[in-house]
């Protein structure tokens, strides 16, 4: 549907987008709701305003960022998000062995859970709920699974989750570094994106350095094997030349011996012929 803004009677008439929400629109809505909660916490007078006015502020915020939805659409979408979020959160609290993020879509439906919740949206909701002061109750094991099984591009949500970043772990800290990277802390629902990004960059640098060292060792080993093969080929070529020279010497001696034998035979035949032609004495 085309989106247009027209002036009618000096006012602004908005044509809202309809249909399914995209991931980008959903993230903008979560950010708008989080900003509205923070705004109302700082300004106590806003808490007494009707909900319609608050959702009008959310609509304006979304509109400025390219999410062309009405306040009613934003309200309905937020209610659906929170309903699905609470179901998943409660399921993660109850289940110790199974996790929502390990389940197939059919298994989620059988468990009466949302079938298509994205990790990126869930983490953004966790951050929004935490900033509002509501505990999420996300278990440590669930947080570890979320960060260890999902692609790295999904581990950093579009919205910052915590105002304070944890100190960067050193490369030799072992399991402590892994826990900070996977779970974002012991029992906490989120982690600052700056700490996660810095840790990731540090680990990427270490992996690049280690890979370069492995490649250099492989190249050096390959060159050493090439030198050994070259020496072996040179040795084989030298032995082949020696064998060829030995065969040539044997052939030469054989030919010389054959020539000597032929000469001796010829001399004997000449002597025999000479004795045969001489007249006998009386």
């Amino acid at each position: 549907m085309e989106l247009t803004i027209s002036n009618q009677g000096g006012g602004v008439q908005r044509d809202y987008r309809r249909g399914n929400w995209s991931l980008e629109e959903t993230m903008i809505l979560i950010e708008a709701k989080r900003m509205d909660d923070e705004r109302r916490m700082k300004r106590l007078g806003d808490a007494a305003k009707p909900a319609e006015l608050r959702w009008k502020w959310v609509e304006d915020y979304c509109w400025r960022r390219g999410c062309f939805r009405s306040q009613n659409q934003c309200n309905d979408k937020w209610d659906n998000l929170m309903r699905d979020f609470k179901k998943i959160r409660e399921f993660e609290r109850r289940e110790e062995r199974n996790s929502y993020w390990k389940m197939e879509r059919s298994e989620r439906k059988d468990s009466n859970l949302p079938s298509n919740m994205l990790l990126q949206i869930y983490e953004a909701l966790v951050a929004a709920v935490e900033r509002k002061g509501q505990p999420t109750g996300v278990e440590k094991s669930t947080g570890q699974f979320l960060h260890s099984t999902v692609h790295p591009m999904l581990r950093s949500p579009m919205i910052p989750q915590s105002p304070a970043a944890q100190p960067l772990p050193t490369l030799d800290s072992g399991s402590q570094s892994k826990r900070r990277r996977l779970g974002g802390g012991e029992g906490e629902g989120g982690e600052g994106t700056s700490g996660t990004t810095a840790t990731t960059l540090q680990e990427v640098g270490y992996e690049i350095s280690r890979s370069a060292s492995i490649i250099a060792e492989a190249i050096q080993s390959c060159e050493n094997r090439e030198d050994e093969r070259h020496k072996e080929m040179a040795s084989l070529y030298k032995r082949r030349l020696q064998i060829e020279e030995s065969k040539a010497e044997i052939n030469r001696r054989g030919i010389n011996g054959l020539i000597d034998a032929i000469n001796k035979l010829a001399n004997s035949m000449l002597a025999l012929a000479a004795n045969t032609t001489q007249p006998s004495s009386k």
Side-chain angles (χ1 to χ4, degrees):
M1 173 181 178
E2 296 293 335
L3 296 174
T4 59
I5 302 178
S6 59
N7 293 326
Q8 297 180 355
V12 178
Q13 180 68 31
R14 291 178 175 176
D15 291 336
Y16 300 106
R17 183 179 182 274
R18 300 188 181 278
N20 295 331
W21 285 64
S22 65
L23 174 60
E24 182 179 3
E25 288 178 321
T26 304
M27 298 302 292
I28 293 175
L29 172 62
I30 297 175
E31 180 182 3
K33 191 63 173 65
R34 178 178 60 82
M35 296 295 294
D36 179 57
D37 291 337
E38 293 179 356
R39 180 180 64 90
R40 289 188 290 111
M41 289 177 63
K42 293 178 181 178
R43 299 173 59 186
L44 299 179
D46 287 349
K49 291 184 178 181
E52 291 77 8
L53 297 181
R54 294 201 298 266
W55 283 107
K56 184 67 169 89
W57 187 94
V58 172
E59 174 189 327
D60 294 338
Y61 185 95
C62 292
W63 189 270
R64 291 193 299 270
R65 282 155 180 78
C67 177
F68 305 109
R69 301 284 185 168
S70 67
Q71 57 180 323
N72 292 334
Q73 289 176 309
C74 294
N75 193 351
D76 294 340
K77 180 63 175 178
W78 179 257
D79 290 341
N80 293 335
L81 287 173
M82 290 305 299
R83 181 193 62 212
D84 294 345
F85 169 76
K86 291 177 180 178
K87 286 183 179 181
I88 298 174
R89 182 185 62 182
E90 292 300 324
F91 180 80
E92 292 294 299
R93 284 177 175 177
R94 295 194 308 268
E95 295 292 332
E96 297 181 356
R97 298 181 179 179
N98 199 6
S99 172
Y100 173 84
W101 309 105
K102 295 180 181 179
M103 302 169 64
E104 300 291 338
R105 295 174 66 93
S106 58
E107 295 177 335
R108 295 173 180 177
K109 290 183 179 180
D110 294 339
S111 300
N112 195 24
L113 294 172
S115 60
N116 57 350
M117 172 67 76
L118 298 178
L119 174 63
Q120 189 172 357
I121 295 177
Y122 183 82
E123 289 184 335
L125 291 172
V126 170
V129 172
E130 282 187 344
R131 286 178 177 271
K132 194 175 180 180
Q134 299 178 3
T136 62
V138 179
E139 299 296 336
K140 173 186 173 183
S141 59
T142 303
Q144 290 178 343
F145 173 77
L146 297 182
H147 288 77
S148 62
T149 59
V150 181
H151 191 276
M153 290 299 294
L154 295 179
R155 294 180 188 172
S156 299
M158 297 174 61
I159 307 172
Q161 298 183 1
S162 176
Q166 296 182 357
L168 296 178
T170 58
L171 292 177
D172 57 352
S173 61
S175 61
Q176 183 179 5
S177 171
K178 183 177 180 181
R179 288 196 300 269
R180 291 178 181 176
R181 185 177 75 255
L182 298 181
E186 297 294 334
E188 295 182 358
E191 176 182 335
T193 55
S194 60
T196 302
T197 304
T199 304
T200 303
L201 291 176
Q202 187 178 13
E203 294 178 353
V204 169
Y206 170 75
E207 292 297 332
I208 291 176
S209 177
R210 188 170 66 89
S211 299
S213 176
I214 294 175
I215 293 174
E217 292 177 0
I219 294 175
Q220 183 64 35
S221 176
C222 183
E223 291 178 352
N224 293 337
R225 289 196 298 269
E226 188 68 24
D227 291 340
E228 292 178 358
R229 285 196 297 268
H230 179 73
K231 292 178 181 179
E232 291 177 357
M233 293 297 296
S235 177
L236 291 175
Y237 182 73
K238 184 177 181 180
R239 290 177 59 186
R240 181 178 178 181
L241 290 179
Q242 291 176 352
I243 293 174
E244 293 293 337
E245 291 178 355
S246 298
K247 291 172 63 177
E249 179 65 20
I250 292 173
N251 291 335
R252 185 178 63 81
R253 291 179 181 179
I255 291 174
N256 291 337
L258 181 59
I259 292 173
D260 291 341
I262 292 173
N263 290 333
K264 290 180 180 180
L265 179 59
N267 292 332
S268 299
M269 292 178 65
L270 290 174
L272 180 58
N275 291 334
T276 304
T277 57
Q278 287 181 355
S280 59
S281 60
K282 295 181 181 182

